[in-house]
Amino acid sequence: MGLVGQFLEFIEQTPNQSLRAISDRVLHKCRELTDAEAGSVFMLSGQGRARQLEAVSVQNDVIRAKTASFTIPAASSSIVGHVAITGETVLIDDAYALGETKPYRFNPGFDQRTGFRTRSIMAFALKGFRGKPVGVVQLINRRDPQGGDPLPFLLGHEAMIAPVNHLVGRALERAATLERLKERNRALTQERRRVAELQKETERAFMISVNLLARAAEVHDEDTGNHIVRVNEYSYILAKWAGCSKAFCEELRFSAALHDVGKMSVDQAVLHKRGRLDERELAEMRRHPVYGYEILKTSDRLKMAAEVALSHHEQWAGTGYPNGLKGEEIPLAARIVAIADCYDALRSKRPYKPAFSHDKTVNILTLGDDRIDPTQHFDPRLIALFAERHMEFDRIWEELRDEEPAAEPVPA
């Protein structure tokens, strides 16, 4: 088998090898062919002035070479930098006797740190798919079979390796590209994970803000307890029954809580008044949907909440407020919350009424009483869905019902 065949065989022997694994195999093979004591494989990276050569494989049979990678600038002042820039092969008989005519210099720093003695050097470029250098192989100190001082590398060594350096270069270029892609994918995965965590944190902060805003709207009401939480859940389940999308249902689940946020802007004297409101006071109270809409409309995340706040007192027959919308002119989210809010208000104890049982509440919502006419108030399709499956509302009520206040101690 010829030399080209040997390189092809050992490069392709194990597919999808890492850049370091291929580099180690390449360097070992080159040293075997030239009988070099030591050597390194460098790969080019970066662009323009930022280009650098990274040592991806280092081998030395005389001393223990560090396996950690290091980089040097891709400048023509160094031997490997000159080879990487020009694509030329460099043969040096004695690194310490270069003379002043060469454009590159030998750096003795490694020898000084380790006690190793560099003598002969052979450095050649690895060519990539476009025929341009993508890396450099540097071989050091050809062994003397007799055990004497290192011998110079020969032109025959260059001629022997030249036909295969493009095969090696392309294999290393592929491996380097794959590693960059893997690293980029790892970085993207980490970034996606970080963004997802930030989104979770942002979402948690948003939901806390929504809940605090909803609670602030109820600060002047008495005995509201878990009202907004229950209205959220009733609205969510009714939207699911109506066949709404998951995204719609989830958005409604928090938007419903803000249906009465406009009460924060209502005259406190009106909110705290006991007994029936006069016409002026009633008109002020009926402004709370508009106040709520004005509070919420500027937030993109609260567009549905703004619709609900504005229209949850509209009625199917067009007899509601503030705009007298009729039928499907009323946003679906507001039609759903109207039923959810009314159910919870009927089940809850208020200063002006006792708490009603589930059965009585269902009868009022589906059959009517002296204040509610379901055919006038509610979307008939939604109220029909409620009538079929109302026990789910009772389950939510029982799970989220408010604790009864402790009884006052009886005097002895």
Side-chain angles (χ1 to χ4, degrees):
M1 181 183 294
L3 185 60
V4 173
Q6 291 179 42
F7 267 90
L8 280 173
E9 182 181 40
F10 94 83
I11 288 173
E12 300 297 340
Q13 205 169 43
T14 307
N16 301 321
Q17 298 176 87
S18 69
L19 176 61
R20 182 176 294 279
I22 296 178
S23 300
D24 287 345
R25 290 167 66 82
V26 165
L27 184 56
H28 185 272
K29 189 68 175 177
C30 290
R31 289 178 56 227
E32 182 182 42
L33 291 170
T34 60
D35 206 20
E37 285 183 346
S40 303
V41 176
F42 296 85
M43 292 298 293
L44 272 168
S45 62
Q47 298 292 329
R49 294 183 179 179
R51 295 197 84 188
Q52 58 185 12
L53 286 155
E54 180 183 1
V56 292
S57 180
V58 177
Q59 297 172 8
N60 194 310
D61 291 343
V62 179
I63 64 168
R64 186 173 182 177
K66 293 182 179 179
T67 56
S69 62
F70 60 92
T71 60
I72 60 174
S76 59
S77 57
S78 68
I79 296 170
V80 292
H82 174 81
V83 173
I85 292 171
T86 64
E88 298 173 359
T89 298
V90 169
L91 296 172
I92 299 172
D93 292 349
D94 186 346
Y96 286 89
L98 277 180
E100 298 297 323
T101 60
K102 302 295 184 184
Y104 45 81
R105 293 288 177 269
F106 169 66
N107 182 354
F110 178 79
D111 288 5
Q112 293 168 356
R113 289 194 306 273
T114 64
F116 181 76
R117 176 70 179 185
T118 301
R119 182 69 65 87
S120 56
I121 296 174
M122 175 180 173
F124 60 91
L126 297 169
K127 306 292 180 67
F129 288 99
R130 297 179 182 177
K132 293 183 178 181
V134 296
V136 175
V137 174
Q138 178 175 254
L139 303 173
I140 299 174
N141 292 357
R142 184 167 73 92
R143 289 187 180 90
D144 179 1
Q146 306 302 319
D149 291 338
L151 301 174
F153 292 94
L154 306 175
L155 291 174
H157 293 129
E158 178 188 1
M160 181 171 54
I161 292 175
V164 298
N165 69 2
H166 68 286
L167 297 174
V168 173
R170 290 180 182 183
L172 291 172
E173 187 177 32
R174 276 198 306 271
T177 300
L178 285 173
E179 291 205 354
R180 282 196 296 271
L181 288 173
K182 287 178 181 177
E183 182 58 36
R184 187 175 300 170
N185 286 337
R186 281 194 293 270
L188 286 173
T189 299
Q190 290 175 352
E191 185 65 15
R192 289 191 196 100
R193 193 175 293 122
R194 189 179 72 84
V195 169
E197 288 299 318
L198 287 174
Q199 287 175 335
K200 286 181 182 178
E201 288 297 325
T202 301
E203 189 66 15
R204 280 194 286 268
F206 172 76
M207 294 308 300
I208 289 171
S209 298
V210 167
N211 188 57
L212 290 174
L213 187 59
R215 293 292 183 189
E218 293 193 327
V219 72
H220 298 296
D221 290 342
E222 295 180 18
D223 303 322
T224 53
N226 283 331
H227 170 67
I228 58 173
V229 182
R230 293 191 297 266
V231 170
N232 281 350
E233 296 306 310
Y234 303 142
S235 300
Y236 174 78
I237 199 68
L238 186 50
K240 285 185 68 175
W241 295 343
C244 298
S245 70
K246 182 179 179 181
F248 182 97
C249 295
E250 292 292 348
E251 186 173 359
L252 183 57
R253 197 174 206 163
F254 68 79
S255 296
L258 298 172
H259 63 280
D260 276 339
V261 72
K263 286 184 177 179
M264 290 194 298
S265 299
V266 172
D267 184 345
Q268 292 187 28
V270 174
L271 289 174
H272 293 158
K273 182 178 179 180
R274 300 282 184 177
R276 186 178 297 274
L277 301 178
D278 61 29
E279 288 187 11
R280 184 197 65 79
E281 293 164 341
L282 186 59
E284 170 66 8
M285 180 62 80
R286 288 190 170 186
R287 291 287 297 167
H288 84 267
V290 176
Y291 295 150
Y293 178 76
E294 291 297 324
I295 291 169
L296 302 172
K297 69 178 183 180
T298 57
S299 170
D300 288 337
R301 286 294 307 277
L302 296 175
K303 293 297 185 187
M304 181 186 287
E307 282 187 345
V308 169
L310 182 63
S311 302
H312 70 286
H313 282 296
E314 301 287 358
Q315 296 177 3
W316 186 256
T319 51
Y321 63 90
N323 296 314
L325 300 181
K326 183 177 181 180
E328 293 190 358
E329 294 175 350
I330 307 167
L332 176 58
R335 284 180 265 152
I336 291 171
V337 173
I339 295 172
D341 186 34
C342 193
Y343 175 88
D344 201 74
L346 291 170
R347 293 297 311 268
S348 302
K349 181 182 178 180
R350 294 288 184 265
Y352 52 85
K353 62 170 282 295
F356 295 156
S357 69
H358 173 72
D359 290 342
K360 182 173 182 178
T361 298
V362 172
N363 283 336
I364 293 172
L365 289 178
T366 57
L367 302 176
D369 65 1
D370 59 335
R371 297 181 59 189
I372 295 176
D373 181 350
T375 63
Q376 299 287 305
H377 282 66
F378 306 123
D379 180 331
R381 184 173 76 95
L382 294 176
I383 205 66
L385 288 170
F386 168 79
E388 291 173 8
R389 311 180 191 187
H390 57 78
M391 289 306 299
E392 187 69 11
F393 272 52
D394 187 46
R395 181 192 64 78
I396 292 169
W397 167 268
E398 292 298 334
E399 285 186 1
L400 297 172
R401 70 184 304 161
D402 303 312
E403 293 183 9
E404 295 291 336
E408 297 246 349
V410 178

